[in-house]
Amino acid sequence: MTFVVAIDGPAAAGKGTLSKAVAAHFGFAHLDTGLLYRAVAAKVLAGADPVQAARTLDAVDLEDGTLRTPRVAQTASEVAVIPDVRAALVTFQRQFAMRADGAVLDGRDIGTVICPQADVKLFVTASPECRAQRRFKELTDKGMDITYDTVLADVKERDERDRTRAAAPLVPADDAVLIDTSDLTIDAAVAAAIAVIDRAR
């Protein structure tokens, strides 16, 4: 019997870390749906048409080492507003969610569009400043030359684009449980998520 956990939220809120931990705890499969859009973006930056790139996406494309760069992230946010790109990736995500051993999917529209009947819906968020600080540390730890102000501006710009796009805007599902990680440790956020899922099971 399938059991689907939908985890949504803005960039750098901690949903990826949370999703991986939750999936490991329950033995569920995990899909970072943002990687799908990053993989499409990487193909677009290499000269591909966005819709064609989405329609021909393969699992191996998710292993591209460049998918976590700011340039790919920015382009991913841009291609994600294209309705035909989103439509091409919906089937991939919904098939993943049907795994018999349970599935955790994280992204922007899992609880509202991809899996509106998910057994558990979480919306993970944090203040823009907190999220920018996390992303800034992540990037500088990788040796990137970037300023905090630049990262903060990028976070706010992506938030605005994600919230106002016509196709599947970033909004919490009506029945989603909100987890604000601004002042939570990773362990505390994971514990909160596990508690919600335990109650649903």
Side-chain angles (χ1 to χ4, degrees):
M1 184 175 178
T2 60
F3 189 93
V4 182
V5 180
I7 302 181
D8 293 308
K15 65 182 180 295
T17 301
L18 192 68
S19 299
K20 289 175 188 173
V22 164
H25 178 84
F26 290 102
F28 295 164
H30 171 243
L31 177 64
D32 173 358
T33 64
L35 278 183
L36 303 180
Y37 293 95
R38 286 174 181 258
V40 170
K43 287 174 172 282
V44 168
L45 289 171
D49 171 76
V51 177
Q52 187 61 23
R55 288 174 177 164
T56 59
L57 197 65
D58 188 90
V60 71
D61 296 322
L62 305 183
E63 300 170 11
D64 184 336
T66 69
L67 298 186
R68 297 292 184 184
T69 64
R71 186 176 181 218
V72 170
Q74 180 69 23
T75 305
S77 184
E78 293 167 5
V79 301
V81 305
I82 302 172
D84 285 346
V85 168
R86 304 194 72 83
L89 298 178
V90 165
T91 300
F92 185 104
Q93 296 171 75
R94 286 181 175 162
Q95 287 177 341
F96 186 94
M98 295 308 295
R99 292 176 179 236
D101 57 349
V104 177
L105 290 82
D106 75 79
R108 301 287 199 281
D109 63 348
I110 308 304
T112 54
V113 175
I114 304 302
C115 300
Q117 303 303 319
D119 298 277
V120 172
K121 299 175 190 176
L122 302 175
F123 193 86
V124 182
T125 190
S127 70
E129 292 74 18
C130 180
R131 291 185 286 120
Q133 186 58 50
R134 292 172 184 169
R135 184 55 53 85
F136 174 68
K137 183 178 186 306
E138 175 188 332
L139 295 174
T140 54
D141 283 351
K142 291 179 180 177
M144 295 193 64
D145 183 18
I146 195 166
T147 67
Y148 167 78
D149 287 343
T150 298
V151 176
L152 178 60
D154 180 59
V155 164
K156 289 181 176 179
E157 181 182 332
R158 288 182 65 188
D159 284 354
E160 180 65 16
R161 186 160 54 242
D162 288 344
R163 281 195 302 261
T164 59
R165 67 189 180 207
L170 173 65
V171 292
D174 290 340
D175 53 349
V177 176
L178 180 70
I179 298 179
D180 190 325
T181 66
S182 298
D183 299 313
L184 292 180
T185 64
I186 292 173
D187 288 346
V190 170
I194 288 173
V196 173
I197 296 166
D198 274 336
R199 287 196 294 272
R201 296 181 82 201

